[in-house]
Amino acid sequence: MCGIIGYTTKRTDSVSVALAGLKNLEYRGYDSSGIAFYDGKKLDMVKAKGKISNLEEKLSQMDIASSCAIAHTRWATHGEPSETNAHPHQVGKVTLVHNGIIENYASLKEELIAKGYEFKSQTDTEVATAYIDYCYSLCNNKLQALVDACKGIRGSYAFNVIYEDEPTTIYATRKDSPLVIGYSHEGNFAASDISAILSYTNKYSLIDENEFVKITSSIVTFYNEDLTETSNEIKTATWDAAQYQKNGYDHFMLKEIYEQPKVIQDIFNRYYSDCDYSDIHFENFDNIHIVACGSAMHASLVGKYLLQTYAKIPAMVEIASEYRYAEELITPKTLLIVVSQSGETADTLAALRLAKEKGAYVVGIVNAVGSTISREVNKCIYTYAGPEIAVATTKGYTSQVAVFSTLVLNAMKQKGLLDETQEAEIKDELLNIKPKLEQVISQRDTYLDIAKDIYSHKDLFFIGRGIDSTVCMEGSLKLKEISYMHSESYSAGELKHGTISLIEEGTPVISIATNENLFEKTVSNIKETKARGSYTIFVTTDAHDAVDFREFADKTVIVPKTSEFSQAIPVVMALQLIAYETAKLRGCDIDKPRNLAKSVTVE
Ligand code: M6R
């Protein structure tokens, strides 16, 4: 949560460059923002509540020439969204922007108050600022002050610091929060992610945990905790700035939904024909744990279903923030699969670290190349879905499902469970999936029509069986997070054990039935809701087009039939588009839903 950027340049446009970069980080938090800049005489600061456009508006009324700036976009943790709580914070000689959480801020604050410091905000960051200032007052060495402060701070942080007496240099460090260094001829950057700087450079370095960086407009120097210089590889980013633009789409979410046919096809081409899973031997492990959050956890449920049903390998899926309570189950014979689009989710990172401590082997299914999770797992399988900007994930989820499919097919091969004919059929399907997914997208009118039926309702239910019940969970989350409609997802057979009491005349129920063997049972459950007045939207495949759905369905969505190795993908794409159209009709901020942030880097 929160995005930070620092830029120091030989020119005088640091504010406009930092602001442009900050806009690309807005997905990380958007309840307030701020910037500190050196105008040649002093460090000045501007802050605004709400979206970055409010900050931009304030800055547009000023005539600024500045060679160094640090900026921040916030997702509030300590203290309400307000200008006072917005970053940067300034105490004594130190100005700071921070992404993360200082866990021991309360005790540090008491210590600092006893030493005479005063605080204006409710934030943990102002305490960190004062603490760095205090350390600086003791040693009078800027890098050493940062090292000393970090030793006394518990928690997660990416820091960009400017000292008043050296206002064109940025000092930076990180622990458990991401930060990259960017290099250009005009100046150098430190930003939460590469998207903030790609318009200016594709040359970057990753900073290791507890590494310290001194950044001037012409030189970047890395240090370890002993202040010995270290060297960091300069990498070239493969993603380009155009991928961070809407490119004509109304929303990033829509663009990312439309990208799915290609993204999924690329994954199947890459990992099915030429998969490199030779080092994952399922039979070497006593137990398989799959751990993730939110939609990535829903993708994990699809993975678990496929693993159990087809590779006959039992697996446990756990929400990352709950995994530590299953600590007793982790052994050196555990295979942990962590799944994360951003590769920075704090709960997932904590789970992987715990498992590694206990000797488990950890595989990551990750999108963001070079992210913390991708660097800390024993083996990383990238989804290569490209940047995902909309806060609600779409291609992030489907690409995780696609990778799981290839992983399970590989496990089946390892166990001799895939005969030649079956393999040829599945291969043919997966290597030709794109037109089927394009067909799902082409039915936009159907989704809009359904959205018109449901958008004014208060409550909604999703039901399905087997793999469809996991897809329901994702469909329900998508609708909730972007349209703010209350929605619940239930295994179709479970509804009658209590929740059916909530169904009343007109309650929309989105029901999914894609599996022939479960079809009749699901239809019976749909009829149970219909008998109680539900308005039924039925999602099924073209394999069932001989059935007369009118008996139990008010509206029907037909997606192409595939094997279960890819069936979740077209179904969820239809649900994503229903959620999208519904949120649009409800006038919601689709790409930046209230209270959320894309990258959840706090536990
Ligand atoms: O980046 P990650 O995949 O680790 O993120 C996990 C969840 O925070 C994420 O899927 C979240 O649930 C999204 N808002 C869903 O759209």
Side-chain angles (χ1 to χ4, degrees), residues 293-296 339-345 348 373 391-393 400 474 477-478 481 596-600:
C293 306
S295 296
V339 188
S340 175
Q341 187 286 127
S342 63
E344 300 293 349
T345 301
T348 312
I373 293 177
V391 166
T393 184
Q400 290 157 356
E474 178 59 10
L477 177 61
K478 219 64 351 188
E481 63 183 337
L596 296 182
K598 181 78 181 159
S599 203
V600 186

Side-chain angles (χ1 to χ4, degrees), residues 449-493:
D449 193 33
I450 290 169
K452 284 180 182 161
D453 291 341
I454 64 175
Y455 84 99
S456 57
H457 283 265
K458 220 167 116 265
D459 304 300
L460 189 140
F461 293 86
F462 284 81
I463 59 170
R465 281 173 178 261
I467 202 169
D468 295 335
S469 75
T470 71
V471 177
C472 283
M473 294 168 86
E474 178 59 10
S476 176
L477 177 61
K478 219 64 351 188
L479 190 73
K480 274 187 279 221
E481 63 183 337
I482 63 166
S483 79
Y484 316 147
M485 274 177 82
H486 170 244
S487 147
E488 288 194 40
S489 147
Y490 263 81
S491 300

Side-chain angles (χ1 to χ4, degrees), residues 248-267:
Y249 288 92
D250 286 349
H251 297 96
F252 280 110
M253 182 179 178
L254 191 64
K255 174 182 171 232
E256 287 153 12
I257 289 173
Y258 272 70
E259 283 171 354
Q260 290 175 106
K262 178 170 184 321
V263 165
I264 301 304
Q265 189 63 74
D266 287 351
I267 290 174

Side-chain angles (χ1 to χ4, degrees), residues 343-528:
E344 300 293 349
T345 301
D347 290 322
T348 312
L349 187 58
L352 106 77
R353 287 179 178 166
L354 173 70
K356 278 183 86 178
E357 260 169 45
K358 300 221 143 211
Y361 184 77
V362 187
V363 171
I365 298 179
V366 177
N367 186 35
V369 177
S371 55
T372 310
I373 293 177
S374 76
R375 293 162 76 191
E376 293 198 15
V377 291
N378 298 102
K379 176 184 175 70
C380 184
I381 305 171
Y382 281 116
T383 57
Y384 294 114
E388 192 177 62
I389 310 297
V391 166
T393 184
T394 51
K395 62 177 180 171
Y397 166 90
T398 48
S399 61
Q400 290 157 356
V401 168
V403 166
F404 265 121
S405 297
T406 59
L407 196 60
V408 172
L409 285 162
N410 199 263
M412 289 169 70
K413 276 197 226 168
Q414 281 179 14
K415 292 183 76 177
L417 290 172
L418 196 59
D419 67 43
E420 270 181 30
T421 324
Q422 205 186 359
E423 181 173 8
E425 273 173 21
I426 292 171
K427 188 168 181 178
D428 182 56
E429 171 189 304
L430 300 188
L431 298 188
N432 295 290
I433 193 83
K434 196 167 172 233
K436 292 186 176 171
L437 303 183
E438 285 165 345
Q439 190 186 322
V440 177
I441 289 177
S442 71
Q443 304 174 152
R444 285 282 298 278
D445 289 350
T446 309
Y447 310 127
L448 178 59
D449 193 33
I450 290 169
K452 284 180 182 161
D453 291 341
I454 64 175
Y455 84 99
S456 57
H457 283 265
K458 220 167 116 265
D459 304 300
L460 189 140
F461 293 86
F462 284 81
I463 59 170
R465 281 173 178 261
I467 202 169
D468 295 335
S469 75
T470 71
V471 177
C472 283
M473 294 168 86
E474 178 59 10
S476 176
L477 177 61
K478 219 64 351 188
L479 190 73
K480 274 187 279 221
E481 63 183 337
I482 63 166
S483 79
Y484 316 147
M485 274 177 82
H486 170 244
S487 147
E488 288 194 40
S489 147
Y490 263 81
S491 300
E494 182 65 10
L495 204 67
K496 59 182 178 291
H497 294 288
T499 311
I500 200 163
S501 64
L502 296 173
I503 306 286
E504 51 188 47
E505 196 57 40
T507 306
V509 176
I510 299 186
S511 320
I512 308 177
T514 60
N515 180 321
E516 286 69 55
N517 301 326
L518 307 177
F519 191 83
E520 283 180 6
K521 277 200 190 322
T522 308
V523 168
S524 300
N525 298 136
I526 297 170
K527 286 181 179 169
E528 289 157 13

Side-chain angles (χ1 to χ4, degrees), residues 164-391:
E164 186 189 74
D165 48 350
E166 195 183 340
T168 55
T169 301
I170 297 168
Y171 290 85
T173 187
R174 69 173 278 264
K175 180 179 161 284
D176 296 343
S177 289
L179 196 65
V180 296
I181 300 299
Y183 308 87
S184 78
H185 292 303
E186 289 76 31
N188 296 314
F189 299 86
S192 294
D193 85 37
I194 192 86
S195 66
I197 59 176
L198 266 182
S199 299
Y200 305 96
T201 180
N202 62 355
K203 300 287 177 219
Y204 72 101
S205 293
L206 300 170
I207 312 179
D208 284 331
E209 299 267 299
N210 296 318
E211 203 167 21
F212 297 82
V213 198
K214 180 177 176 180
I215 307 160
T216 70
S217 60
S218 50
I219 298 172
V220 174
T221 322
F222 294 87
Y223 301 87
N224 64 18
E225 281 176 305
D226 303 329
L227 295 187
T228 309
E229 275 190 41
T230 55
S231 62
N232 268 28
E233 185 193 346
I234 298 183
K235 298 171 183 272
T236 304
T238 47
W239 295 352
D240 65 48
Q243 289 175 282
Y244 293 87
Q245 307 303 320
K246 284 192 213 147
N247 296 340
Y249 288 92
D250 286 349
H251 297 96
F252 280 110
M253 182 179 178
L254 191 64
K255 174 182 171 232
E256 287 153 12
I257 289 173
Y258 272 70
E259 283 171 354
Q260 290 175 106
K262 178 170 184 321
V263 165
I264 301 304
Q265 189 63 74
D266 287 351
I267 290 174
F268 286 140
N269 293 349
R270 178 191 293 261
Y271 288 120
Y272 195 73
S273 310
D274 178 26
C275 68
D276 176 27
Y277 300 145
S278 47
D279 44 352
I280 308 174
H281 289 286
F282 286 91
E283 75 273 13
N284 290 347
F285 299 99
D286 285 348
N287 46 39
I288 319 282
H289 298 170
I290 312 176
V291 170
C293 306
S295 296
M297 194 277 288
H298 297 157
S300 304
L301 290 171
V302 177
K304 168 195 157 107
Y305 174 90
L306 295 175
L307 208 53
Q308 291 186 176
T309 310
Y310 296 97
K312 313 293 176 206
I313 298 173
M316 171 182 99
V317 172
E318 190 57 273
I319 293 169
S321 54
E322 292 291 317
Y323 188 54
R324 70 189 51 173
Y325 313 121
E327 187 174 354
E328 298 307 318
L329 302 179
I330 311 168
T331 74
K333 297 283 266 179
T334 298
L335 167 64
L336 170 66
I337 303 176
V338 288
V339 188
S340 175
Q341 187 286 127
S342 63
E344 300 293 349
T345 301
D347 290 322
T348 312
L349 187 58
L352 106 77
R353 287 179 178 166
L354 173 70
K356 278 183 86 178
E357 260 169 45
K358 300 221 143 211
Y361 184 77
V362 187
V363 171
I365 298 179
V366 177
N367 186 35
V369 177
S371 55
T372 310
I373 293 177
S374 76
R375 293 162 76 191
E376 293 198 15
V377 291
N378 298 102
K379 176 184 175 70
C380 184
I381 305 171
Y382 281 116
T383 57
Y384 294 114
E388 192 177 62
I389 310 297
V391 166

